[in-house]
Amino acid sequence: MNLCIVSASQRADSQSLRVARYLEKLAIAHFSQSQVLDLHQLALPLWNEGVWQGTEECQGWRDIAKQLKQADALVLITPEWHGMATPALKNFLMLATDYELAHKPALLVSVSASLNGVYPISELRMSGSKNNHLCFLPDHLIFRYCEDLLNDQLECSDPQMQQRSAYTLQLLASYASALAPVHRDMVEAGRAFRYGM
């Protein structure tokens, strides 16, 4: 199975990217392939109608869309900025469509320098899957006090967080296996209802 991990910080060498690399390391036990998409590095175009019209500006997105189509599961990682998910992640979820993501499981992860981190999870659960039809796992991860949690070798200083992260990635893999036929069979069947009624 193929896992796509999205690091949604707009900063270079971010804590979110470190968390992405950590989760990628743990995912080896459950996924045969994985890739990390660093939204800082990709600098995707802001969503506009050019996505539908195939403009040159959106060529880079088409390459990412092909990668997403091959993924069996996703991990979406965002720092908490002013109690919100990053603009880059919201833009990513607007660019993505049901062609790439419908009925695929996604693990939501937030990263906080302090005790916070829950607001981006709530925000993404409310609107992050409206048109792309991602299936968010009921479980999520919050990496609090992130600067102290992972060392330079990407080892977690908190045994409980280590165990929880490993468990949640195993859960994601189980969902990916179970939902694979649903994605394959139902994307075309649901085309008439992709934006609601």
Side-chain angles (χ1 to χ4, degrees):
M1 287 189 297
N2 187 357
L3 176 65
C4 181
I5 302 173
V6 179
S7 172
S9 178
Q10 293 159 229
R11 293 176 173 155
D13 302 317
S14 66
Q15 293 296 322
S16 296
L17 186 58
R18 290 182 72 225
V19 169
R21 297 295 181 201
Y22 168 70
L23 293 177
E24 184 181 37
K25 190 169 82 167
L26 294 182
I28 291 171
H30 308 290
F31 292 89
S32 56
Q33 298 178 42
S34 65
Q35 69 258 4
V36 173
L37 300 180
D38 181 359
L39 297 190
H40 162 75
Q41 184 181 26
L42 292 174
L44 295 172
L46 290 177
W47 183 92
N48 62 66
E49 287 85 356
V51 175
W52 298 332
Q53 298 157 358
T55 61
E56 187 62 32
E57 172 193 24
C58 297
Q59 176 58 47
W61 172 252
R62 289 194 289 274
D63 296 335
I64 300 301
K66 288 177 187 174
Q67 291 182 51
L68 294 175
K69 197 161 178 61
Q70 298 304 314
D72 297 296
L74 284 89
V75 176
L76 304 180
I77 304 170
T78 182
E80 183 178 62
W81 288 355
H82 301 278
M84 294 181 280
T86 63
L89 183 55
K90 298 295 289 217
N91 184 57
F92 174 88
L93 291 170
M94 290 176 69
L95 289 166
T97 70
D98 52 340
Y99 282 108
E100 298 91 32
L101 301 182
H103 314 302
K104 292 182 179 182
L107 169 62
L108 296 176
V109 179
S110 71
V111 178
S112 175
S114 66
L115 188 59
N116 300 314
V118 73
Y119 287 106
I121 301 293
S122 299
E123 176 187 4
L124 292 168
R125 287 193 187 283
M126 183 176 68
S127 63
S129 62
K130 197 274 182 189
N131 286 349
N132 58 50
H133 299 271
L134 265 174
C135 293
F136 295 136
L137 263 63
D139 289 32
H140 56 261
L141 295 173
I142 301 176
F143 285 80
R144 295 183 166 110
Y145 299 105
C146 58
E147 293 179 9
D148 300 322
L149 195 59
L150 300 177
N151 65 21
D152 291 339
Q153 289 74 45
L154 299 179
E155 296 166 336
C156 186
S157 63
D158 181 345
Q160 186 174 6
M161 188 65 186
Q162 168 82 16
Q163 292 169 6
R164 176 66 188 265
S165 298
Y167 158 77
T168 308
L169 285 169
Q170 181 181 3
L171 181 67
L172 180 64
S174 296
Y175 270 75
S177 180
L179 288 176
V182 179
H183 171 75
R184 185 184 62 243
D185 298 338
M186 298 306 294
V187 169
E188 285 305 319
R191 190 69 63 217
F193 312 108
R194 64 192 309 196
Y195 304 122
M197 293 301 290

